[in-house]
Amino acid sequence: MRKEATRLVSALLRAGNNGVSTSWAVGGTRLKSAMPQPDEKKDEDLHAKEGKVLHPHLLNENVVKTQYAVRGELYLRAEQLRKEGKEIIFTNVGNPHALGAKPLTFTRQVLALCAAPFLLDHPKVEDMFPADAIARAKKILASFKGGVGAYTDSRGNPLVREEVARFIEKRDGVPSNPDHIFLTDGASVAVRLCLNAMIRHDRDSVLVPIPQYPLYSASIRLYGGTLVGYFLDERRGWGLSVEELQRALQEAREEGKLVRGLVFINPGNPTGQCLSKENLQELIKFAYQEKIVLMADEVYQENVYQDERPFVSAKKVMWEMGEPYRSHVELLSFHTVSKGTAGECGLRGGYVEMTNIHPGAIEEVYKCASINLSPNTMGQIALSVLVNPPKPGDPSYDQYTKEKASELVSLRRRAHMVTDGFNALDGVTCNFTEGAMYSFPQIKLPAKALEAAKAAGKAGDVFYCLKLLEATGISTVPGSGFGQEEGTFHLRTTILPREEVMTHFVEKFDKFHKDFMKQYS
Amino acid sequence: MTNMDAPSTSNGTSTSAQDAAAQKQPVRRAPLGIDTINKRVIKSEYAVRGEIVQLAQKIAKEVESGQHNHPFDKVVWCNIGNPQILGQKPITYFRQVLALCECPQLLSHPNIRELFPEDVIARAQLLTKQIPGGLGAYSESAGALIIRQLVAASITKRDGYPADPDNIYMTDGASPAVHYMMDLLLREPTDAMMVPIPQYPLYSATLTLYGGTLAPYLLDEGAGWGLDVEHLRLQLAKARREGLCVRAMVVINPGNPTGQCLSYQNMRDVLTFCRDEQLVLIADEVYQANIYVGNKEFFSFKKVACAMGLEDQVPLVSLHSISKGFIGECGRRGGYMEVTGFPEPVKDQILKLASINLCPNLSGQICCALMMNPPQPGEASYELYRKEKSDILGSLKRRAELLVGALNRLEGVSCNAAEGALYAFPRVTLPEAAVAAAKKLGKQPDWLYCKELLEATGIVVVPGSGFGQADGTFHFRTTFLPSEEDIGRVVEALSAFHAAFLKRHGGLTTAAVAASAAAANGTHAGQ
């Protein structure tokens, strides 16, 4: 009986209960519990409703309130239409391969050899794969202990992290530490890992551009934090101004919010603007003065379609500014294999580099990463190729370089075609897509259209996009999913339809818009 | 107002001093300090990759460098079910199909038939054709339709009850499914889930991370880690008395770390319990292919629920993964969850959560579809597949028996048979002096044992305290995944270490052994 009384579950697990219930030890009350206990009245309201535990009213409020527009109402309707057999042009997501972009040959050759290493021993392997793909696969397999089927370190394979660090050093001329680089299943996972660590309660806030990529609004909501929007200036090519940041920050602080982070997307999503070096310097000074973590979403760094403002990383600018910025501003930089010219969305590969982040905080992020064991190996290998491509003289160099360059040139042409197409329409204005993969035109909706939208219980831009979808099969995302100035209406479309079909795409849009304006004028 | 937000310089100097200090790089209180990040993140514990493992990583680095004083030349990773890192070969068929899907231009190569069998080519052609945009495009957030159809068809075949592709969500390994359920169900700290003790620490870690509470139920070591439904009722009543709102119950079958397989009757009782008490049942069934005893068979909770007519009454989540079984494709990150008895609006919420990460990786999705739909008799790859599968499972069974047998021969150690999964979870009686030594260090006694084992032999195991254990008992979890060539040496090294450990810490008294056995066997005394 004495042993009964001492039967407590180990303290370690108990500590996991966040101090809320310290008494879930199993054994202590077991002797007593042999006696019949009076039935406890269940809190029906909290536990079950209409006989359902899993009642929509009884779910985590943070989940229910989260909105994610890229795959929201419009997307679901588009999927439904597709199931009904209608041809849909999915320009709602930056998903190049879905619209016919071809993968980079070298990347896929390396992936195939890593997936099926027995091919390396096949006598015919050299007929089918170039020597540098074979060599690269061997090098990667040697560093992935257990091959691609084993969990890696939760931060990702050390060789690939080293390659990423060398890539950053070469790009920026700034030292980079592989221990501060975490590989992830796409950049979204990296963003969420960081936000989860930063947000403690609903006063914790993150400055996010409006319009923004809804990953940020959704994740901040999901982790129970607060989004503080700062507006990009549409009239100045979606420019980012420090005065506006100051305004947003001051208002948030006056409301008692604790602003912890500042997200900026460069090149912009959905807005496509490329930030100048001077602009980045201002941002960095702001982050330093106000003690805010900078979150640099740089996933579109390869996708630049003008020459005045080439991509420059926040890390490089910060380094060149010298002290005190260089070694004090806390910076999280994100990159991915999903964008650029590789467009390997489905492989899920990405990374975050953490600069000037407290080692203890990095340890905690490491632990959280470890709860999901490790990022997927194919995504890691695709990242390895992205940051360490074939070199001049390698058998695959010419083809790899050519594939990338022709895709980039084509994207530049398409950026112009889409912008010009929109600007040719009455009641539509559109900033040029300087970078990234999107066009974000403003549509001036006639009063009648707004009335019809209201009658249908939809926002004006949702109404417009649904009509567009029904009439043309073009699937876009309404501007309200990204945030827009009150009273303005936008939509986001990718510039990803292939050049062969782009003229057709623009024409379809043109015809729909004219019909729409006629109907509601 | 006070600006709590501006994490001011820690020395609290005046403004002008701060300006001056800014030039001299002041001590700044960083926004991302260890003291200012989310407490739930810090409190979350994940033992499988915890302190012992970090020490092991350090040692492994030293051993690899060749410059070290460790009395071994190799670190043996028995802390985690990661078969291929210990030499298990991938199933050829899966890798062949995957290679062709990764590099579809091979399909039109004139020599393709010299390298790949016919059924592999056909399967890859089907998949590359049916997955819109191929591996490089985001799929639907729930997973590509063809993949979910293939998985649903195979579940239907396995259980004899229909599965709906719209109830299947593909995931990057099984872990994200657990995250989804925690996120969905936990609203406040008094929301709880019933979790077996010992448990897989994914559950305790995510419960903490998402701000819920763990309501434990003990598995009975004395009864082969049995799950006693009467005990469940008592624990639930207790949790409710404490003001907890118990939302769900987790069952791991076959058990991790405990390896037991549930009987059909036991599963019926659990389902009845969940129906009566209105609990969501989370069935972690990732080890369904790992069963090593002839008299046990895996049944899915879905099948049992359907047979009882409870599929609409008990919301059920069934998890599966490509990381375990005889497949061991951990690095691929593939898995799925099937939900039944979930209202549509709730499924919409799951889909939304999934959509924030866009989609699970395609390579893992394909591997999962292949796992569920392996080559069939008559197909070109069938013989090789069958042989590879039975070799691996046969070998795992031999290794499980070898390891458990050896553990039971050690003084003061007792270990239930590993009926399934990939782990042995022996109970170790520790000398009083060792317990005292650990206490002095502020550590758990089983942690001390595992640490000394690592330092003496290079074998990495996980202390039982990371999984939870009845008080007064100490365990560790080890996989039996070292290869057949290695496992003999692992057993020898472990046995030698154990004897030396006992000796070094003053040996075992008869009383200590009896007390340990009593503590373990008394788990469900009185019932």
Side-chain angles (χ1 to χ4, degrees):
Chain A
M1 288 305 102
R2 184 169 47 85
K3 68 192 176 237
E4 284 286 338
T6 58
R7 196 163 304 123
L8 298 170
V9 179
S10 81
L12 189 145
L13 276 169
R14 199 181 310 141
N17 272 336
N18 212 3
V20 173
S21 164
T22 51
S23 52
W24 59 262
V26 178
T29 59
R30 285 192 49 79
L31 269 182
K32 273 184 265 164
S33 63
M35 311 260 293
Q37 295 290 338
D39 251 4
E40 289 296 313
K41 195 180 167 299
K42 285 176 211 156
D43 188 345
E44 289 294 338
D45 278 340
L46 258 183
H47 180 69
K49 197 167 176 178
E50 294 159 6
K52 291 283 183 194
V53 191
L54 274 180
H55 192 285
H57 294 171
L58 299 179
L59 302 178
N60 179 354
E61 206 181 45
N62 287 336
V63 170
V64 177
K65 289 201 171 155
T66 298
Q67 295 203 347
Y68 192 61
V70 176
R71 298 206 154 189
E73 182 183 351
L74 258 292
Y75 172 78
L76 295 174
R77 178 70 188 137
E79 276 294 333
Q80 196 184 339
L81 287 172
R82 180 168 75 165
K83 274 183 196 155
E84 290 165 11
K86 191 175 167 79
E87 196 192 321
I88 302 295
I89 307 171
F90 282 99
T91 51
N92 58 312
V93 181
N95 193 7
H97 292 205
L99 292 173
K102 291 275 165 293
L104 297 170
T105 307
F106 179 76
T107 309
R108 292 302 189 89
Q109 286 169 331
V110 174
L111 286 173
L113 288 170
C114 291
F118 40 81
L119 291 177
L120 290 166
D121 304 325
H122 195 283
K124 287 264 162 72
V125 68
E126 278 164 20
D127 298 348
M128 298 186 77
F129 294 90
D132 53 347
I134 295 172
R136 173 59 81 87
K138 283 182 177 162
K139 182 178 165 204
I140 288 171
L141 286 169
S143 85
F144 276 74
K145 298 200 185 80
V148 299
Y151 295 126
T152 65
D153 186 292
S154 302
R155 296 166 298 187
N157 173 281
L159 170 79
V160 181
R161 284 190 284 126
E162 186 70 40
E163 288 178 314
V164 171
R166 298 292 84 79
F167 159 79
I168 295 169
E169 286 178 355
K170 198 170 154 208
R171 184 193 67 190
D172 295 343
V174 174
S176 170
N177 181 346
D179 287 341
H180 298 164
I181 293 166
F182 283 30
L183 311 187
T184 49
D185 288 324
S188 305
V189 174
V191 167
R192 295 182 59 182
L193 267 177
C194 296
L195 285 173
N196 193 18
M198 283 165 71
I199 296 172
R200 300 159 299 184
H201 44 66
D202 60 6
R203 284 165 66 218
D204 277 349
S205 308
V206 181
L207 281 161
V208 172
I210 305 294
Q212 54 114 20
Y213 178 50
L215 164 68
Y216 296 100
S217 51
S219 308
I220 291 167
R221 188 72 199 79
L222 199 57
Y223 294 124
T226 301
L227 181 150
V228 175
Y230 63 93
F231 285 97
L232 302 175
D233 187 349
E234 184 166 14
R235 279 163 296 273
R236 290 177 40 238
W238 296 115
L240 185 167
S241 82
V242 171
E243 294 72 38
E244 170 60 12
L245 281 173
Q246 269 315 343
R247 178 205 62 78
L249 176 68
Q250 285 320 321
E251 284 184 22
R253 285 184 176 166
E254 276 159 25
E255 288 168 24
K257 291 174 185 147
L258 315 177
V259 178
R260 311 266 290 153
L262 161 58
V263 173
F264 66 97
I265 311 175
N266 179 35
N269 176 5
T271 43
Q273 83 287 12
C274 296
L275 297 183
S276 69
K277 196 170 165 181
E278 295 70 32
N279 219 182
L280 284 165
Q281 287 170 342
E282 290 177 324
L283 262 177
I284 288 161
K285 279 186 187 154
F286 175 80
Y288 177 78
Q289 279 156 6
E290 305 297 345
K291 299 178 185 78
I292 292 173
V293 178
L294 272 185
M295 300 179 74
D297 181 336
E298 300 177 331
V299 299
Y300 297 100
Q301 56 189 267
E302 260 188 72
N303 299 95
V304 175
Y305 314 121
Q306 42 73 40
D307 304 314
E308 295 77 41
R309 281 186 302 287
F311 170 78
V312 51
S313 76
K315 188 173 182 213
K316 179 184 170 85
V317 174
M318 196 168 97
W319 181 267
E320 288 174 354
M321 285 166 77
E323 297 302 350
Y325 310 103
R326 179 187 285 186
S327 47
H328 287 98
V329 174
E330 289 160 88
L331 173 68
L332 304 164
S333 315
F334 305 96
H335 196 16
T336 182
V337 299
S338 303
K339 309 302 172 187
T341 46
E344 292 285 9
C345 301
L347 295 179
R348 315 308 294 122
Y351 74 80
V352 54
E353 185 191 22
M354 299 180 259
T355 309
N356 297 331
I357 303 294
H358 190 292
I362 295 179
E363 275 298 300
E364 294 296 337
V365 173
Y366 188 8
K367 183 181 68 189
C368 282
S370 80
I371 299 178
N372 274 342
L373 298 160
S374 65
N376 88 84
T377 45
M378 297 324 257
Q380 296 186 44
I381 294 169
L383 184 63
S384 155
V385 176
L386 175 75
V387 298
N388 187 12
K391 306 262 175 307
D394 291 350
S396 300
Y397 176 77
D398 286 342
Q399 190 189 5
Y400 186 84
T401 318
K402 199 168 140 252
E403 284 174 353
K404 278 184 91 86
S406 72
E407 182 65 9
L408 200 57
V409 168
S410 163
L411 279 167
R412 183 184 282 233
R413 281 194 296 265
R414 284 180 269 166
H416 281 286
M417 286 167 87
V418 174
T419 311
D420 295 349
F422 281 129
N423 281 323
L425 298 178
D426 275 345
V428 178
T429 52
C430 185
N431 282 315
F432 176 59
T433 302
E434 297 176 349
M437 292 181 168
Y438 312 97
S439 182
F440 197 65
Q442 183 178 152
I443 322 268
K444 300 221 164 46
L445 294 175
K448 266 192 183 170
L450 292 175
E451 280 163 33
K454 206 173 169 190
K458 312 263 180 221
D461 50 357
V462 175
F463 182 76
Y464 182 91
C465 292
L466 277 170
K467 290 275 178 196
L468 172 70
L469 174 66
E470 304 282 348
T472 63
I474 297 174
S475 167
T476 57
V477 187
S480 43
F482 305 92
Q484 55 198 352
E485 228 167 296
E486 186 89 23
T488 68
F489 299 100
H490 298 76
L491 63 83
R492 186 186 84 166
T493 170
T494 68
I495 57 164
L496 294 174
R498 306 305 295 167
E499 263 184 285
E500 317 75 276
V501 298
M502 189 55 102
T503 317
H504 183 56
F505 174 80
V506 172
E507 276 166 10
K508 264 187 159 176
F509 216 112
D510 181 90
K511 178 169 184 311
F512 162 77
H513 183 74
K514 285 178 179 147
D515 291 348
F516 182 91
M517 295 306 261
K518 209 171 180 182
Q519 190 185 346
Y520 293 104
S521 64
Chain B
M1 59 162 285
T2 337
N3 230 333
M4 299 190 55
D5 157 33
S8 54
T9 47
S10 54
N11 49 13
T13 46
S14 70
T15 311
S16 58
Q18 272 180 17
D19 286 347
Q23 307 305 317
K24 291 191 283 172
Q25 301 179 28
V27 183
R28 283 163 51 95
R29 204 177 108 202
L32 265 193
I34 186 70
D35 53 339
T36 61
I37 65 172
N38 184 347
K39 282 200 176 55
R40 293 197 306 270
V41 168
I42 296 175
K43 285 196 173 168
S44 170
E45 298 267 357
Y46 194 60
V48 174
R49 295 201 157 194
E51 202 182 339
I52 294 278
V53 181
Q54 284 174 25
L55 178 62
Q57 282 169 346
K58 190 172 149 268
I59 292 176
K61 244 185 194 169
E62 290 162 9
V63 170
E64 268 169 40
S65 74
Q67 307 287 317
H68 68 97
N69 301 318
H70 301 289
F72 47 85
D73 54 12
K74 189 163 131 189
V75 170
V76 187
W77 301 97
C78 295
N79 58 306
I80 190 162
N82 192 8
Q84 295 190 17
I85 208 157
L86 295 169
Q88 182 177 311
K89 291 274 165 292
I91 300 288
T92 307
Y93 174 78
F94 297 164
R95 292 303 189 86
Q96 286 172 326
V97 176
L98 282 164
L100 289 178
C101 292
E102 304 282 1
C103 196
Q105 65 258 47
L106 291 176
L107 285 167
S108 49
H109 195 282
N111 290 348
I112 182 73
R113 282 180 172 71
E114 294 173 38
L115 272 80
F116 295 92
E118 207 55 49
D119 57 338
V120 165
I121 296 170
R123 181 50 68 96
Q125 276 166 340
L126 171 86
L127 289 168
T128 47
K129 197 164 146 238
Q130 297 277 335
I131 298 174
L135 260 73
Y138 296 127
S139 69
E140 288 177 56
S141 299
L145 182 61
I146 177 72
I147 303 277
R148 288 184 289 122
Q149 285 168 339
L150 284 166
V151 169
S154 62
I155 295 173
T156 305
K157 201 170 149 202
R158 180 194 70 191
D159 293 342
Y161 293 96
D164 180 350
D166 284 343
N167 285 341
I168 311 270
Y169 300 82
M170 306 305 296
T171 47
D172 288 319
S175 306
V178 175
H179 284 261
Y180 289 147
M181 295 319 296
M182 297 290 171
D183 216 350
L184 202 61
L185 289 169
L186 301 175
R187 300 158 301 185
E188 45 195 283
T190 48
D191 277 346
M193 289 200 193
M194 296 192 77
V195 171
I197 299 295
Q199 54 116 21
Y200 177 46
L202 170 64
Y203 295 99
S204 52
T206 48
L207 269 164
T208 306
L209 200 56
Y210 291 95
T213 300
L214 191 152
Y217 62 92
L218 276 182
L219 301 174
D220 188 348
E221 184 165 14
W225 297 115
L227 192 171
D228 172 11
V229 176
E230 212 32 57
H231 173 69
L232 286 179
R233 290 188 203 287
L234 296 171
Q235 288 302 114
L236 178 67
K238 180 167 178 288
R240 287 185 172 155
R241 270 200 310 281
E242 288 164 3
L244 296 178
C245 180
V246 180
R247 309 277 288 153
M249 166 173 180
V250 175
V251 178
I252 311 175
N253 178 41
N256 175 7
T258 42
Q260 83 289 9
C261 299
L262 296 183
S263 71
Y264 195 86
Q265 184 53 46
N266 209 185
M267 295 172 75
R268 287 177 55 98
D269 295 344
V270 168
L271 281 160
T272 309
F273 169 74
C274 288
R275 181 200 60 193
D276 293 349
E277 302 295 347
Q278 294 191 308
L279 301 177
V280 177
L281 178 58
I282 300 173
D284 182 337
E285 298 177 332
V286 301
Y287 297 99
Q288 58 188 267
N290 298 100
I291 295 189
Y292 311 113
V293 287
N295 59 345
K296 290 286 172 98
E297 187 184 343
F298 170 78
F299 301 103
S300 74
F301 267 106
K302 162 92 181 296
K303 178 185 178 127
V304 181
C306 289
M308 293 171 77
L310 288 183
E311 68 270 28
D312 294 327
Q313 294 176 49
V314 178
L316 171 67
V317 192
S318 160
L319 314 183
H320 198 10
S321 161
I322 61 171
S323 303
K324 309 301 169 188
F326 50 93
I327 298 165
E329 291 281 10
C330 302
R332 296 275 175 178
R333 315 308 295 124
Y336 72 82
M337 65 174 180
E338 183 193 16
V339 303
T340 43
F342 273 49
E344 286 302 319
V346 176
K347 283 164 59 183
D348 291 346
Q349 297 295 329
I350 299 177
L351 192 59
K352 183 178 67 187
L353 283 179
S355 75
I356 300 177
N357 277 345
L358 295 159
C359 73
N361 87 82
L362 265 295
S363 180
Q365 289 190 45
I366 291 175
C367 197
C368 197
L370 298 174
M371 166 181 80
M372 300 299 283
N373 297 274
Q376 297 304 307
E379 291 178 346
S381 302
Y382 177 72
E383 256 322 299
L384 179 63
Y385 169 81
R386 194 200 52 74
K387 184 175 180 306
E388 287 175 342
K389 175 182 170 178
S390 73
D391 284 356
I392 292 171
L393 286 174
S395 163
L396 282 171
K397 180 178 157 71
R398 280 193 299 277
R399 285 179 271 164
E401 285 166 359
L402 178 76
L403 182 65
V404 172
L407 286 166
N408 277 319
R409 281 193 293 278
L410 300 181
E411 187 186 356
V413 175
S414 110
C415 186
N416 278 319
E419 296 175 346
L422 299 173
Y423 314 99
F425 195 64
R427 178 168 50 81
V428 184
T429 310
L430 297 178
E432 281 140 15
V435 175
K439 211 171 169 185
K440 224 168 143 187
L441 293 169
K443 296 289 184 187
Q444 297 288 336
D446 49 8
W447 178 90
L448 181 72
Y449 183 89
C450 295
K451 178 174 165 280
E452 292 194 10
L453 173 66
L454 169 64
E455 287 168 346
T457 64
I459 300 170
V460 193
V461 299
V462 187
S465 43
F467 302 90
Q469 54 199 352
D471 208 35
T473 69
F474 304 109
H475 299 75
F476 65 85
R477 186 187 84 166
T478 173
T479 69
F480 38 81
L481 288 170
S483 66
E484 300 228 33
E485 302 85 74
D486 288 346
I487 193 121
R489 260 173 297 163
V490 169
V491 165
E492 273 171 37
L494 181 62
S495 306
F497 161 79
H498 184 77
F501 181 90
L502 294 188
K503 201 169 163 196
R504 185 161 64 248
H505 293 284
L508 288 180
T509 60
T510 328
V513 177
S516 166
N521 289 327
T523 304
H524 286 187
Q527 279 165 37

